[in-house]
């Protein structure tokens, strides 16, 4: 008699795609597009509630979810007819089955809750929501190709613009914790955040000048305005010069044995999002509406809360600072996958890891655990983690930086690929992150 396969056996049995613990139409739709695009033949649905004790898979709930999404998005699910949908039994110790809440039922509950509480989401919004697929934005930094998320993810633009600015300086002659490099790092970040604050938004509603923002010409112009021994006052920087020239987020990085790569950042915004759940569904609402420029039109406000590109409009997606990236080396070989939670601190955290590896040839652990700093615009303070020497801090103060001690910044989750193989490192700044290896 053949032994019955466990959930673990199924997981290791040539499974091609894993959809973790959600029935959100955008996520299911994105998974379906992956099936259609990549020719995948098997779909495995798992629940995060049973990690790390077991891998439990949705039962009838998963089937209903997928079938309903297939009806709603036939263009995406046409390729799933030949797919084998694996729906395993619940975990060994689970006595209560998953509640059978279909997307249609959840949608009805969401709309009802919105009506009762003065919310904005309608049945039409839910029905018309679809995942977007877009080409990454990119730059070349010291012969390395850096791919990042396009707008409305503004953090990626900050990172690429920061790299382009730093490329104008010979940073290899100084150390990664030297006052000289930290000053350049802060100045580059400040200028990147300046452009993000004014011109970033949903490209389907606003003509985001992303090519200008991450151009080498823009970077050279901004680099020339950096004084090696003097901090630039925020009022001395003008975001309009672009056209005068010709923390509760999650990130994971994945690479499989076939070389397929994922750099994924997603967020609830604040801890527990908006703090609102939809009755009867277990759905926790995020607070990403807060990322819109709610002070747009106020002439007295110059920061990103008044951004022309990110004003609140129906159907629009807000700007974020999420910065998932993938880097290829001089030979166009995959080198680094990384990203981080941390809100506005994300670009600084990721930029610190990237420069640590490329500029200073540090290993992944060393680059990850470098003390971090953050410089935003139009603010004067330079935020720093603990770990910098007193001498370095005194030099930075002599340059005119207003120092502010910060709590930890971000939590990068990275994979480095080199001649030594694949190396993963989970940032030690936040608990419960880790590195996992697939064993066939």
């Amino acid at each position: 008699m053949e032994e019955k396969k466990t959930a673990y056996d199924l997981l290791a049995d040539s499974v091609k795609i894993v959809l973790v613990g959600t029935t959100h139409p955008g996520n299911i739709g994105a998974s379906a597009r992956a099936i259609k695009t990549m020719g995948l033949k098997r779909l495995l649905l798992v629940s995060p509630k049973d990690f790390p004790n077991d891998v439990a898979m949705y039962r009838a709930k998963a089937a209903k979810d997928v079938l309903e999404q297939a009806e709603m998005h036939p263009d995406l699910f046409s390729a799933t007819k030949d797919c084998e949908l694996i729906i395993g039994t619940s975990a060994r110790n689970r006595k209560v089955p998953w509640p059978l809440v279909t997307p249609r039922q959840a949608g009805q509950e969401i709309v009802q809750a919105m009506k009762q509480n003065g919310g904005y989401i309608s049945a039409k919004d839910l029905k018309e929501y679809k995942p977007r697929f877009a080409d990454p934005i990119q730059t070349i930094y010291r012969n390395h190709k850096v791919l990042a998320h396009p707008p409305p993810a503004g953090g990626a633009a900050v990172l690429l613009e920061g790299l382009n600015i730093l490329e104008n300086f010979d940073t290899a002659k100084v150390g990664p914790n030297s006052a000289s490099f930290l000053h350049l790092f802060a100045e580059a970040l400040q200028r990147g955040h300046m452009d993000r604050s004014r011109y970033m938004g949903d490209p389907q509603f606003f003509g985001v000048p992303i090519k200008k923002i991450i151009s080498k010409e823009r970077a050279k112009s901004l680099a020339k305005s950096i004084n090696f021994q003097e901090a630039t006052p925020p009022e001395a920087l003008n975001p309009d010069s672009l056209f005068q020239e010709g923390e509760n987020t999650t990130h994971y990085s994945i690479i499989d044995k076939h070389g397929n790569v994922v750099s994924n950042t997603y967020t609830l915004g604040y801890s527990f999002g908006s703090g609102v759940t939809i009755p009867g569904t277990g759905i926790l609402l995020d607070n990403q509406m807060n990322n819109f420029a709610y002070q747009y039109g106020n002439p007295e406000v110059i920061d990103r809360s008044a951004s022309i590109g990110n004003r609140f409009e129906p159907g629009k997606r807000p700007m974020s600072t999420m910065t998932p990236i993938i880097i290829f080396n001089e030979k166009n070989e995959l080198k680094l996958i990384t990203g981080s939670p941390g809100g506005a601190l994300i670009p600084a955290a990721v930029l610190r890891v990237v420069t640590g590896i490329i500029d200073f040839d540090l290993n992944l652990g060393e680059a990850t655990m470098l003390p971090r700093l953050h410089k935003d615009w139009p603010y004067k303070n330079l935020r720093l983690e603990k770990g910098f020497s007193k001498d370095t801090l005194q030099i930075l103060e002599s340059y005119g930086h207003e120092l502010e001690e910060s709590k930890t910044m971000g939590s990068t989750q990275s994979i480095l690929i080199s001649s030594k193989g694949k190396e993963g490192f989970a940032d030690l700044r936040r608990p419960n992150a880790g590195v996992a290896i697939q064993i066939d």
Side-chain angles (χ1 to χ4, degrees):
M1 180 177 176
E2 184 179 353
E3 184 178 352
K4 185 177 180 180
K5 286 190 174 184
T6 67
Y8 286 114
D9 294 326
L10 292 172
L11 183 61
D13 186 17
S14 302
V15 171
K16 299 299 184 184
I17 184 168
V18 178
L19 174 61
V20 181
T22 181
T23 57
H24 188 285
N27 289 316
I28 292 179
S31 297
R33 176 67 64 88
I35 292 172
K36 183 175 181 179
T37 303
M38 300 173 66
L40 304 177
K41 294 298 183 182
R42 179 167 291 180
L43 176 65
L44 173 69
L45 299 113
V46 303
S47 163
K49 291 189 175 182
D50 293 289
F51 286 107
N53 299 323
D54 200 349
V55 179
M57 287 167 284
Y58 288 109
R59 303 169 69 187
K61 179 175 181 291
K64 288 180 177 291
D65 289 339
V66 174
L67 290 175
E68 284 207 5
Q69 288 300 313
E71 293 175 3
M72 293 171 62
H73 303 292
D75 57 322
L76 296 183
F77 277 81
S78 60
T80 62
K81 295 178 181 178
D82 298 325
C83 288
E84 178 183 354
L85 176 62
I86 304 175
I87 305 175
T89 58
S90 58
R92 291 188 297 268
N93 298 326
R94 181 175 291 281
K95 296 181 180 179
V96 180
W98 285 96
L100 297 180
V101 180
T102 67
R104 184 173 287 110
Q105 291 170 330
Q108 292 170 349
E109 297 289 350
I110 292 172
V111 172
Q112 181 65 23
M114 292 291 153
K115 289 180 179 178
Q116 292 176 346
N117 296 280
Y120 292 104
I121 299 175
S122 68
K124 183 174 181 288
D125 293 328
L126 295 174
K127 184 177 181 180
E128 293 181 352
Y129 182 89
K130 290 185 179 181
R132 289 186 194 166
F133 294 83
D135 292 333
I137 56 176
Q138 62 179 282
T139 194
I140 302 296
Y141 179 67
R142 306 196 195 281
N143 298 319
H144 289 72
K145 182 168 66 177
V146 184
L147 304 181
H149 200 290
V158 175
L159 175 81
L160 298 191
E161 189 169 15
L163 289 172
N164 286 339
I165 293 171
L166 288 173
E167 193 175 37
N168 290 276
F169 304 98
D170 189 1
T171 57
K173 292 182 178 180
V174 296
N177 288 331
S178 67
S180 297
F181 176 71
L182 298 176
H183 171 66
L184 292 174
F185 187 99
E187 293 287 301
L189 265 180
Q190 180 186 38
R191 285 155 174 79
H193 277 291
M194 174 186 67
D195 282 346
R196 174 174 85 91
S197 295
R198 181 63 60 90
Y199 297 112
M200 201 56 57
D202 187 337
Q204 292 195 5
F205 288 78
F206 177 76
V208 180
I210 189 63
K211 289 184 178 180
K212 282 191 173 184
I213 290 173
I214 63 172
S215 70
K216 297 295 185 180
E217 292 74 23
R218 175 66 170 167
K220 287 179 181 178
S221 175
L222 293 173
K224 289 178 181 178
S225 68
I226 295 176
N227 186 312
F228 283 92
Q229 294 184 334
E230 185 177 339
T232 306
E235 60 271 16
L237 295 173
N238 178 14
D240 291 331
S241 65
L242 182 67
F243 293 98
Q244 295 170 0
E245 303 170 351
E247 275 168 7
N248 294 293
T249 299
T250 300
H251 180 89
Y252 58 82
S253 299
I254 299 174
I255 182 171
D256 68 12
K257 64 182 180 181
H258 304 293
N260 298 308
V261 171
V262 175
S263 184
N264 187 300
T265 310
Y266 63 99
T267 187
L268 280 173
Y270 295 160
S271 181
F272 292 99
S274 62
V276 175
T277 58
I278 301 299
T281 68
I283 295 174
L284 178 66
L285 299 181
D286 65 29
N287 66 334
Q288 289 301 289
M289 299 292 280
N290 183 59
N291 279 355
F292 279 115
Y294 53 89
Q295 296 195 76
Y296 169 74
N298 186 341
E300 297 182 359
V301 180
I302 64 172
D303 66 16
R304 52 184 163 270
S305 66
S307 166
I308 184 175
N310 193 42
R311 60 177 178 171
F312 178 66
E313 297 176 79
K316 193 174 187 178
R317 305 191 186 194
M319 176 183 69
S320 77
T321 46
M322 294 186 283
T323 313
I325 65 167
I326 299 171
I327 296 180
F328 295 81
N329 65 16
E330 301 92 330
K331 298 179 181 179
N332 204 31
E333 299 168 336
L334 183 64
K335 180 167 184 172
L336 179 67
I337 314 157
T338 191
S340 176
L345 304 175
I346 293 175
V350 177
L351 184 60
R352 192 73 161 128
V353 172
V354 172
T355 54
I357 290 172
I358 296 178
D359 292 47
F360 302 107
D361 198 28
L362 301 180
N363 65 42
L364 187 55
E366 292 170 334
T368 301
M369 297 315 297
L370 286 171
R372 293 173 180 162
L373 65 159
H374 167 71
K375 179 67 175 179
D376 209 331
W377 182 90
Y379 312 107
K380 293 183 177 181
N381 59 320
L382 173 60
R383 296 174 61 181
L384 302 105
E385 289 183 337
K386 294 180 179 179
F388 295 104
S389 71
K390 290 184 178 180
D391 289 344
T392 296
L393 298 179
Q394 289 175 353
I395 295 172
L396 289 172
E397 285 184 319
S398 74
Y399 291 167
H401 291 289
E402 297 184 11
L403 307 187
E404 176 186 335
E405 186 175 293
S406 173
K407 296 180 180 179
T408 58
M409 298 184 187
S411 178
T412 53
Q413 308 300 317
S414 312
I415 300 173
L416 180 67
I417 300 91
S418 67
S419 58
K420 298 178 181 179
K422 301 180 182 71
E423 173 189 358
F425 196 92
D427 201 325
L428 303 178
R429 287 172 173 80
R430 295 191 184 185
N432 302 322
V435 176
I437 301 175
Q438 179 182 348
I439 300 176
D440 293 331

